[in-house]
Amino acid sequence: MAVSLIKNNPLAYSGRSLLEIAMESSHNLGERVFQLGRELDTTRRALADAEIMLDLYHEVGVQLSAELNEADMVITLLRESLDETRRIRDERERVLRGELEHYKALARAN
């Protein structure tokens, strides 16, 4: 690695021994590895936080799904109740119209 550094930028390394260049290169690589380790730790923490948030969102989604199912059942019951109420109303209206016609016929007969 040191030889390629010298070939690519000979003026920066003139007058220095290969050992000095290799030690500097090793130090720079060590710092870079340390930085990458810190970035990896930061990424790991961010991923753990994201996983916690995803778990929370999943839990909320499951709860909302259950609530929607319950609301759907209530809506179905209300629709059935409304249909029954309309049926009873229509039946009652039919009976009352029949009684009205009966009383009108009695009134005409008198």
Side-chain angles (χ1 to χ4, degrees):
M1 169 110 181
V3 174
S4 67
L5 289 173
I6 294 170
K7 285 183 183 178
N8 291 333
N9 194 359
L11 292 178
Y13 298 101
S14 63
R16 298 173 61 197
S17 72
L18 283 178
L19 179 60
E20 289 174 323
I21 295 169
M23 287 177 64
E24 182 181 339
S25 177
S26 174
H27 175 74
N28 290 342
L29 286 174
E31 285 183 6
R32 183 66 182 138
V33 166
F34 178 75
Q35 289 173 352
L36 289 172
R38 289 179 65 178
E39 289 176 17
L40 181 62
D41 287 342
T42 301
T43 302
R44 190 178 297 122
R45 283 191 300 274
L47 285 173
D49 290 345
E51 185 177 11
I52 290 168
M53 292 304 295
L54 284 173
D55 289 343
L56 290 174
Y57 289 145
H58 175 72
E59 185 177 323
V60 168
V62 168
Q63 290 172 353
L64 287 175
S65 177
E67 289 175 11
L68 284 173
N69 287 339
E70 186 176 329
D72 188 44
M73 289 184 341
V74 169
I75 289 169
T76 299
L77 290 173
L78 289 172
R79 283 184 177 153
E80 290 172 359
S81 176
L82 179 60
D83 290 344
E84 180 66 15
T85 301
R86 286 178 175 159
R87 188 192 63 72
I88 292 170
R89 179 202 63 199
D90 293 346
E91 178 63 25
R92 183 71 182 140
E93 183 180 343
R94 186 186 64 72
V95 168
L96 289 174
R97 287 186 188 276
E99 288 178 4
L100 179 62
E101 289 302 317
H102 172 72
Y103 289 122
K104 281 182 181 179
L106 287 177
R108 281 191 298 262
N110 288 336

